[in-house]
Amino acid sequence: MSLLLVRHGQASFGAADYDQLSERGQIQSRRLGDWLAQGGHRFEAVVVGGMRRHAQTAQGVIDAFAERGLALPDAVSDPGFAEFDHQAVFGAFVERHANSPVVLASRSGEPRDVAAMLQAALLAWARDELPGMPETWEAFGDRVRRAGQSLQGLAGDGEVLVLSSGGVISRLAQMALDVPVERAVELNLSLRNSAVSEFHPHGPRLRLGSWNALPHLHGQRELWTYY
C-alpha cells in the first residue's frame, strides 16, 4: 500500500485571497497529473483537504487522467487534511513581536527574510507561545494523526492520492520520523509546491518512503516554488 501525499500547487501568496492557485500553480498541477497518469499510477481513492487550492490541484490530476481515458475515483473531501489557520498564526506572531528584528526584516519581501519570520512564528505556535489560536499545535497534530490513520482503510493493497498542504504533510512526517517540533517546522518550510511525498502504513503509524519529490518538474527549475 502506498499513500502519496501532495502539497498543493503554488497558491496566490501576497494576494487578498491566498486560497487559489496561481497560473504557475495550475501548470504544476497539470504536470503532476500527466506524470501520475503516464507513470502507471492508479488510485483506489483520491482525498482532498477541503480547501480551494487542494481541489484546484486535484483538478489538474483529474483532467490529465480524463484526457487519457483513465479511470480515477471521485475526489472525497476530508477536513482532517485541511491546513492550519496560517493567517491566525502568522498574524498573532507579528502582532506580539511587531518590533522584533525577524518581523522587521520580513517586510523586505525577500524569500529568506520571509522564511525566517515564518519559522519563528511556527516555532512560537508549536511551543504554545501564541495564546488564543483557533487550533493549538497539539490539536492540529491530533487531527492530522486521525486523518492519516483513516487512509489505511481506503487503500487496500493499492494507492491513495491525497492533496493537502505543507503543515499537514510535515506533521505526518514528524510522526513517522519521531523528530522534535524544530524538525517538523523545517520539514514544513522545505516542502515545495506540488511535491510528492510517499508514506506506507507500518503498524499503528506511517512510515516515510520519500520526501518532497518533483519528478513531474524535472529540468524545469523555474516551476520549483515554496510559496
Side-chain angles (χ1 to χ4, degrees), residues 1-221:
M1 182 197 305
S2 293
L3 310 173
L4 299 186
L5 279 89
V6 175
R7 186 189 177 202
H8 59 80
Q10 185 187 52
S12 299
F13 183 76
D17 184 3
Y18 173 79
D19 192 21
Q20 57 182 341
L21 295 190
S22 67
E23 182 177 353
R24 185 173 294 177
Q26 294 172 7
I27 294 171
Q28 292 166 340
S29 302
R30 182 52 190 260
R31 298 283 173 85
L32 171 67
D34 289 337
W35 178 79
L36 290 170
Q38 293 171 0
H41 291 274
R42 303 295 180 261
F43 297 102
E44 299 295 325
V46 177
V47 181
V48 298
M51 309 185 102
R52 192 187 314 159
R53 57 190 183 273
H54 302 160
Q56 291 174 343
T57 303
Q59 191 62 51
V61 177
I62 292 168
D63 291 345
F65 274 68
E67 187 176 274
R68 293 165 175 78
L70 298 174
L72 192 68
D74 291 338
V76 175
S77 179
D78 184 343
F81 291 100
E83 183 65 298
F84 64 88
D85 189 339
H86 65 278
Q87 291 182 329
V89 171
F90 302 146
F93 180 80
V94 170
E95 182 177 355
R96 290 175 65 87
H97 303 279
N99 295 317
S100 72
V102 71
V103 171
L104 294 175
S106 71
R107 296 173 183 171
S108 70
E110 292 296 323
R112 180 176 296 181
D113 295 334
V114 173
M117 188 277 288
L118 298 181
Q119 182 175 25
L122 289 171
L123 285 172
W125 178 43
R127 294 165 179 163
D128 203 23
E129 296 171 357
L130 299 177
M133 290 294 96
E135 187 174 39
T136 65
W137 173 267
E138 182 177 0
F140 176 55
D142 289 341
R143 168 167 67 83
V144 169
R145 182 183 295 105
R146 291 192 299 270
Q149 291 171 343
S150 72
L151 295 177
Q152 299 186 36
L154 298 176
D157 294 327
E159 289 186 305
V160 171
L161 177 66
V162 181
L163 293 309
S164 186
S165 288
V168 172
I169 301 170
S170 62
R171 286 308 301 272
L172 287 173
Q174 179 196 13
M175 296 168 196
L177 298 172
D178 194 20
V179 294
V181 295
E182 291 81 4
R183 301 293 84 76
V185 169
E186 291 174 1
L187 287 168
N188 188 349
L189 295 177
S190 75
L191 202 57
R192 301 182 181 97
N193 295 116
S194 77
V196 179
S197 298
E198 186 175 11
F199 293 79
H200 304 278
H202 183 64
R205 57 188 292 181
L206 296 179
R207 173 179 287 171
L208 183 62
S210 65
W211 179 254
N212 206 18
L214 292 173
H216 53 294
L217 303 181
H218 179 70
Q220 297 179 300
R221 291 296 293 267

